[in-house]
Amino acid sequence: MDYTLLKWIHILSSTILFGTGIGSAFYMFIANRNRDLPEMYFAVRHVVIADWLFTTPAVIVQFLSGIGLLYVTGYDIDDAWVLWDIVLYFGAGVCWLPVVWLQIRMRDLIKTSLDNNSDVPRVYWVLDRWWILLGSLAFPMIVIVFYLMVFKPG
């Protein structure tokens, strides 16, 4: 595949991955802080949809296009920056996978609360804290991955 096209696909998928992630996190975080159940439900329901429509495909394309770029450019998978990229990328993924489950569970808890005209149970806020923690761990990993992709330090 042409280097320029592959690089464009890689940059586009990283933009979608990062943009969807930070946008979703922002809206869900703010909605939860407001504690308005319809607003919370709207946010988390759409975050779950965004993960399936945008984040998941971007994660896959990002990985495959990254491997393709290594091949096309001749960089070695044993290069330190490549190894760190892979470790951090998968580290962020290890954080993201439970976040997907947490968001689905949180969505369902809010829906039940709305249907029953009741507050969300305490477990919702425990899940929210885990959601924040895992996102706070994944975000800097992805920022470092961006740095390594651009600067490719020795």
Side-chain angles (χ1 to χ4, degrees), residues 25-151:
F26 174 78
Y27 287 113
M28 192 166 149
F29 180 82
I30 295 299
N32 282 345
R33 303 300 65 82
N34 289 336
R35 295 182 180 250
D36 177 63
L37 288 186
E39 182 181 332
M40 291 164 59
Y41 182 63
F42 180 86
V44 72
R45 183 168 47 102
H46 287 95
V47 165
V48 169
I49 293 168
D51 270 347
W52 294 119
L53 289 178
F54 302 109
T55 309
T56 300
V59 164
I60 295 164
V61 170
Q62 185 70 35
F63 181 75
L64 294 175
S65 62
I67 296 299
L69 281 169
L70 285 176
Y71 177 76
V72 168
T73 59
Y75 283 108
D76 192 354
I77 200 159
D78 291 334
D79 290 348
W81 72 270
V82 175
L83 289 173
W84 276 110
D85 248 3
I86 292 169
V87 167
L88 292 168
Y89 188 78
F90 279 100
V94 166
C95 292
W96 177 68
L97 287 173
V99 161
V100 173
W101 177 84
L102 289 169
Q103 292 167 171
I104 291 168
R105 181 78 174 109
M106 292 165 82
R107 178 201 61 198
D108 295 346
L109 288 168
I110 295 172
K111 176 71 168 122
T112 300
S113 294
L114 285 169
D115 290 345
N116 295 329
N117 199 25
S118 62
D119 284 335
V120 291
R122 288 189 102 221
V123 69
Y124 180 89
W125 300 109
V126 172
L127 298 175
D128 181 62
R129 283 192 294 276
W130 278 105
W131 180 80
I132 292 168
L133 174 67
L134 291 167
S136 297
L137 292 171
F139 179 76
M141 288 187 224
I142 293 299
V143 170
I144 296 168
V145 166
F146 269 86
Y147 173 84
L148 293 170
M149 284 190 313
V150 171
F151 294 101

Side-chain angles (χ1 to χ4, degrees), residues 1-16 61-62 65 69:
M1 181 178 273
D2 176 60
Y3 167 76
T4 305
L5 178 60
L6 192 55
K7 185 175 179 180
W8 178 79
I9 290 168
H10 194 68
I11 291 169
L12 182 62
S13 67
S14 68
T15 303
I16 292 168
V61 170
Q62 185 70 35
S65 62
L69 281 169

